[in-house]
């Protein structure tokens, strides 16, 4: 019956996605797989309640009605709390939040629709498909279904935890603090590299290099790529980067000294072999240019993973400091291809016009500028139409005059008398250098020191290693000069801050829902205290296999807190019902935990099993591992730590030990 609810909820989810304009792509498909383990929770609770009541002698209709009366509102509260765990994703005002927003949209849709299915369709399915009351009574002999040997042992374990509540609470707190301390050893990451088969090869010549020189370098690399094993096809772009064929592509601005290759490999192994071969090839056979071989990125484009920015008022001083930073960055063994985003000056030719002689010949500075522009670049004279394209026609000098700098002084400049004089008669030619490009940030000239990563070390780890070596440079900075960290670390921090900005709304929504359900400040606070317990499992499940904790894993950890509080609400609500029904507080805590064991464990297992396909994904894998580890540990703590915490919180006295407890 639970399995039958899955296609029903998925069909409703797809319909809602269609009407809301949510497309099917990598993020939404991953969110659907994530939701697959959550959308069955309400159905499991409803079916389990119907089955228990039928085992206790209720008929099907009465069991279905009881399931609605006792679980519909707590399930709705729990579902909304789980959905609230994804709220910080929806409110993240950053490119990172925009990139992952479909996780919130799809999961919340699936959860809300699963609750509707659980309270409307599942009772109907249970009425039609559950075994008859007589069959269930015969199976359990008409007795208490929780009087089996397994439940007897579990009841004894829960009773021991309640009796030794201080020991259980202290041990849990100690393990939590140790896990928090160990979190700094978990590898950090922003977004992992894509598993697409393309490689991007960037060729950047010296500043001021011509398109012809760039094309010549690209043709040399093209000759080496032809016939190379593992390449399916490749294409080169001269003077600019590739068009955006992939959303997170880090696009390049048009530059005469830049070329980019897009190489499609046959498989991932070929991609990695080719990447290593190209890196060696560019280093040894193309030393005159700056070459870079990269995989496609996941998430918002970052570019170079390690970046440090130097900003200041004077360009020369900024460049001097940036070169010092570059030397320190290059000392780290985990980086390669260390460079500055602008460094080399461009060659320039300046004309100093002799104004007295020019006036005597009837030539103005504007006329000289217009003549040179027409001779070298071309003067528009007409437009040629070919189909729906307009092609500009330019009038310019012969190629020899435009390409040979030594002939510049002999160009014939027309004068007012109708005759021509050589350019050298009215101007002096001066050769020099100037910055080809000056990047500004916050209106200050800024140089970025950039580097790639070697091996499997993550960018935050490498950046953390480099930062202490820059302390001396930072302390010696002149007034008004800045040394800032960019790259993956900056983008990750920006994304994390945008998510953190949504945490107050998340807490407000959760507290409001808990107050509506529990109607008690103390119980609400107690449930909130169980939310961080999942961090224990998150840390250990990431630390042992060295799975990196990235932005998506952080989103999963935040959402995990909603899942944990959902289970806590179910258990606390059951305890309150049992106390209201006349049970002693100690008996209510123990028996409610025993009765809630099966639905809590089943819903947690469903979520964990649904994470297994995602755990093999490069993009969603860290999030899946974090949720699996956190949910496994938090489920155990919900069943053992929460009863002990409840008993300590409300000072419940334990009766004298009996064989049952």
């Amino acid at each position: 019956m639970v399995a039958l609810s899955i296609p029903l909820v998925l069909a409703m989810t797809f319909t809602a996605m269609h009407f809301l304009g949510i497309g099917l792509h990598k993020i939404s498909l991953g969110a659907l797989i994530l939701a697959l383990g959550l959308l069955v929770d309400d159905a499991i609770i409803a079916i389990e309640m119907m089955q228990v009541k039928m085992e206790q002698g209720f008929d099907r209709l009465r069991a279905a009605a009881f399931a609605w009366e006792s679980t519909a509102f707590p399930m709705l509260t729990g579902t909304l709390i789980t959905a609230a765990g994804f709220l910080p994703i929806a409110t993240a005002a950053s490119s990172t939040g925009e990139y992952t927003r479909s996780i919130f949209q799809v999961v919340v849709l699936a959860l809300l629709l699963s609750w509707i299915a659980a309270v409307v369709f599942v009772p109907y399915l249970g009425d039609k498909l559950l075994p008859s009351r007589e069959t269930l009574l015969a199976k359990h002999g008409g007795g208490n279904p929780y009087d089996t040997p397994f439940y007897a042992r579990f009841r004894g374990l829960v009773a021991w935890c309640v009796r030794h509540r201080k020991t259980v609470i202290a041990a849990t707190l100690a393990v939590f603090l140790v896990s928090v301390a160990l979190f700094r050893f978990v590898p950090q990451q922003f977004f992992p590299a894509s598993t697409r088969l393309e490689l991007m090869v960037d060729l950047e010549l010296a500043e001021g290099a011509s398109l012809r020189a760039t094309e010549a370098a690209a043709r040399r690399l093209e000759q080496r790529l032809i016939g190379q094993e593992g390449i399916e096809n490749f294409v080169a772009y001269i003077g600019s980067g590739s068009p955006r064929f992939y959303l997170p592509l880090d696009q390049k601005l048009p530059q005469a000294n830049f070329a980019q290759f897009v190489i499609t490999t046959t498989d991932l192994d070929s991609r990695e072999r080719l990447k290593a071969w190209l890196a060696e090839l560019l280093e040894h056979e193309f030393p005159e240019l700056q070459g870079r071989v990269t995989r496609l990125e996941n998430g918002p484009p970052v570019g170079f993973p390690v970046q440090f920015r130097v900003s200041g008022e004077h360009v020369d001083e900024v460049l001097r400091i940036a070169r010092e930073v570059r030397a320190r960055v290059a000392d780290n063994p985990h980086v390669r291809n260390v460079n500055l985003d602008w460094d080399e000056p461009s060659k320039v030719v300046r004309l100093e016009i002799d104004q007295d002689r020019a006036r005597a010949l009837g030539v103005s500075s504007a006329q000289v500028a217009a003549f040179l522009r027409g001779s070298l670049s071309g003067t528009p004279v007409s437009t040629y139409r070919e189909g729906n394209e307009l092609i500009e026609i330019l009038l310019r000098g012969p190629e020899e005059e435009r390409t040979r700098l030594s002939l510049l002084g002999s160009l014939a400049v027309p004068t007012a008398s109708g005759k021509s004089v050589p350019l050298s008669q009215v101007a002096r030619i001066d050769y020099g250098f100037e910055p080809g490009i000056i990047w500004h940030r916050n209106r200050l000239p800024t140089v970025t020191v950039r580097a790639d990563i070697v091996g499997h070390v993550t960018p935050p780890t490498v950046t953390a290693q480099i930062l202490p070596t820059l302390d001396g440079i930072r302390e010696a900075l002149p007034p008004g000069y800045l040394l800032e960290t960019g790259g993956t670390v900056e983008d990750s921090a920006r994304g994390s801050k945008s998510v953190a900005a949504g945490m107050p709304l998340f807490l407000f929504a959760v507290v409001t829902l808990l107050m509506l359900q529990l109607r008690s400040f103390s119980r609400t606070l107690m449930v909130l205290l169980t939310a961080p317990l999942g961090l224990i499992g998150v840390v250990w499940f990431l630390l042992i296999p060295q799975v990196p904790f990235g932005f998506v894993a952080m989103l999963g950890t935040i959402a995990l807190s909603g899942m944990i509080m959902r289970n806590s609400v179910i258990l606390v609500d059951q305890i309150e019902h049992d106390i209201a029904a006349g049970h002693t507080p100690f008996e209510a805590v123990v028996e409610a935990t025993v009765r809630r064991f099966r639905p809590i464990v089943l819903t947690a297992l469903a979520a964990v099993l649904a994470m297994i396909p995602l755990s093999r994904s490069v993009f969603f894998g860290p999030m899946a591992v974090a949720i699996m580890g956190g949910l496994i540990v938090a489920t155990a703590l919900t069943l053992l730590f929460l009863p002990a915490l409840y008993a300590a919180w409300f000072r419940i006295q334990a009766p004298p030990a009996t064989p049952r407890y």
Side-chain angles (χ1 to χ4, degrees), residues 358-378:
R359 280 195 296 270
L361 294 172
V363 179
S364 66
S365 299
Q367 289 174 324
V368 173
F371 165 74
L372 288 175
R373 183 173 59 251
S375 179
L376 301 178
S377 300

Side-chain angles (χ1 to χ4, degrees), residues 66-363:
F66 184 87
W68 160 262
E69 294 171 359
S70 62
T71 64
F73 188 70
M75 282 195 307
L76 177 60
T77 304
T79 298
L80 292 176
I81 289 174
T82 305
F86 295 87
L87 262 179
I89 309 175
T91 58
S94 65
S95 59
T96 310
E98 182 181 0
Y99 185 79
T100 56
R101 189 157 295 146
S102 294
I103 297 177
F104 166 79
Q105 296 169 333
V106 174
V107 172
V108 170
L109 275 177
L111 287 175
L112 294 177
L113 293 173
S114 70
W115 178 82
I116 295 174
V119 299
V120 177
F121 299 105
V122 169
Y124 173 78
L125 293 175
D127 181 60
K128 298 298 181 183
L129 299 177
L130 277 177
S132 64
R133 178 177 57 178
E134 291 74 16
T135 303
L136 292 174
L137 288 174
K139 179 179 179 181
H140 295 280
N144 189 344
Y146 300 107
D147 279 339
T148 62
F150 171 79
Y151 281 115
R153 288 191 293 271
F154 179 68
R155 183 180 288 109
L157 178 61
V158 175
W160 185 92
C161 291
V162 175
R163 291 181 184 278
H164 301 83
R165 61 197 72 173
K166 293 183 180 179
T167 302
V168 173
I169 294 173
T172 304
L173 183 60
V175 174
F176 176 76
L177 293 177
V178 170
S179 301
V180 171
L182 291 175
F183 182 75
R184 61 193 181 97
F185 297 107
V186 176
Q188 301 296 305
Q189 186 185 59
F190 184 37
F191 282 98
S194 173
T195 55
R196 289 179 63 112
L197 299 179
E198 291 91 351
L199 281 175
M200 310 297 293
V201 182
D202 296 347
L203 305 179
E204 187 172 350
L205 280 69
E207 192 68 43
S210 66
L211 274 173
R212 290 189 176 181
T214 306
E215 183 181 9
R219 289 192 180 278
R220 284 172 54 202
L221 180 59
E222 182 181 8
Q223 292 302 315
R224 295 303 309 273
L225 292 176
I226 294 175
Q228 185 68 28
E229 184 180 356
I231 297 179
E232 186 172 317
N233 57 67
F234 64 87
V235 60
Y237 299 89
I238 312 298
S240 67
S242 166
R244 175 162 282 167
F245 65 92
Y246 176 66
L247 180 61
L249 181 66
D250 184 23
Q251 285 191 287
K252 305 296 182 181
L253 296 175
Q255 292 176 260
N257 64 327
F258 180 80
Q260 187 173 63
F261 280 75
V262 181
I263 304 173
T264 305
T265 58
T266 54
D267 52 55
L268 289 177
D269 291 337
S270 299
R271 185 191 73 175
E272 296 307 307
R273 286 195 302 269
L274 189 65
K275 182 176 182 294
W277 175 78
L278 281 168
E280 293 294 326
L281 178 72
L282 292 175
E283 183 176 352
H284 294 98
E285 298 190 19
F286 294 81
E288 75 281 4
L289 55 80
Q290 178 186 309
R292 185 177 186 229
V293 187
T294 57
R295 310 175 189 91
L296 293 175
E297 298 180 73
N298 273 320
V302 176
F304 283 84
V306 176
Q307 297 182 22
F308 296 95
R309 290 191 303 270
V310 181
S311 302
E313 184 177 355
H314 300 290
V315 172
D316 293 340
E317 182 67 11
V318 169
L319 284 170
R320 183 192 66 80
I321 299 171
R323 293 187 183 107
E324 291 184 13
V325 174
R326 178 176 60 185
R328 301 292 178 87
V329 173
D331 290 339
N332 189 283
H334 301 296
V335 301
R336 68 183 304 169
N337 197 20
V338 185
N339 64 89
L340 307 181
D341 62 343
W342 57 281
D343 184 13
E344 296 178 342
S346 298
K347 298 175 182 178
V348 294
V349 177
R350 297 185 179 91
L351 295 179
E352 295 184 6
I353 299 177
D354 187 333
Q355 297 295 340
D356 294 336
R357 185 174 295 183
R359 280 195 296 270
L361 294 172
V363 179

Side-chain angles (χ1 to χ4, degrees), residues 366-390:
Q367 289 174 324
V368 173
F371 165 74
L372 288 175
R373 183 173 59 251
S375 179
L376 301 178
S377 300
T379 301
V381 294
S382 183
T383 301
Y384 172 72
R385 180 186 296 274
E386 183 174 324
N388 60 352
E389 293 186 14
L390 296 177

